Amino acid sequence: MLTTLNTAYTDTRAADLAWALGREPLPALAALDLELAGAKVQLRLLGASHQVILEERGGDCSETVACIAGSRTPLPLGVARRVGDWEYEFAARVEPLAPGAFAGRAQELLALVSDHPHGLAGVFPGSPHAFTALLAQRQGGQVHWRTWHAYPQDGQLVATRTRVGVRPGALRLSHSGVRTA
């Protein structure tokens, strides 16, 4: 799904992005609710980038990558954490691109995400290449999502990759009270 975001371009540099795990839902300009084999995933476009909220039997998890007032956690290159019975892994990279390459990459990513049933992309006013895009999928017992944050004025594309899955050996009670892995 592709949408035009009717808001000012808030996070104007890749260096302004921060990462947070476990934040409450923030006001969204656009959202896409997905059901991925028992997992509820909400992809959210914020005026300041993105938030993903995951709910499943084992609990819930929220990831925010955005300009967060007062945040002291800049965008990390990688994070691995336990969240309840889940393993959470996050990775980010900043891709510098020349102007011509940037426009081509932006068009490619917007086409990929906007045509995908589990994708949400929002273009900011002022530049067709200023966008945030999210794409989610489920593989086995894990939910994965990728995001892209484009900064055409600096020729930078921030790409993130997240994986959330049940920890190996984590036991849960099924609805019948039987322990399951």
Side-chain angles (χ1 to χ4, degrees):
M1 181 170 94
L2 179 63
T3 186
T4 298
L5 302 172
N6 295 317
T7 187
Y9 194 42
T10 305
D11 55 342
T12 57
R13 299 176 320 132
D16 293 340
L17 287 174
W19 168 86
L21 189 60
R23 289 186 68 103
E24 292 296 317
L26 297 171
L29 299 173
L32 179 63
D33 292 311
L34 302 170
E35 179 79 28
L36 301 176
K40 292 181 181 178
V41 179
Q42 186 178 62
L43 305 178
R44 302 167 58 82
L45 294 173
L46 312 175
S49 282
H50 90 259
Q51 187 172 52
V52 176
I53 299 173
L54 169 64
E55 295 178 16
E56 199 174 15
R57 288 184 312 251
D60 59 13
C61 174
S62 76
E63 169 189 284
T64 306
V65 172
C67 290
I68 303 169
S71 176
R72 302 198 192 297
T73 307
L75 191 63
L77 294 177
V79 173
R81 294 235 173 116
R82 287 186 176 170
V83 179
D85 286 343
W86 293 345
E87 296 273 345
Y88 169 91
E89 291 181 8
F90 171 86
R93 75 181 192 299
V94 178
E95 225 179 294
L97 296 164
F102 192 94
R105 183 80 169 124
Q107 289 173 343
E108 172 187 299
L109 288 169
L110 285 171
L112 168 76
V113 174
S114 63
D115 291 341
H116 196 284
H118 301 148
L120 175 63
V123 177
F124 290 90
S127 170
H129 304 127
F131 68 90
T132 299
L134 301 92
L135 184 61
Q137 64 181 357
R138 179 149 192 144
Q139 292 178 330
Q142 300 177 338
V143 177
H144 299 251
W145 58 87
R146 296 186 65 191
T147 74
W148 297 271
H149 305 259
Y151 301 94
Q153 72 280 8
D154 296 327
Q156 293 183 319
L157 182 68
V158 177
T160 74
R161 183 182 304 253
T162 302
R163 180 187 64 80
V164 180
V166 176
R167 282 192 335 239
L171 296 177
R172 294 192 263 171
L173 291 180
S174 70
H175 294 291
S176 63
V178 176
R179 289 180 154 226
T180 61

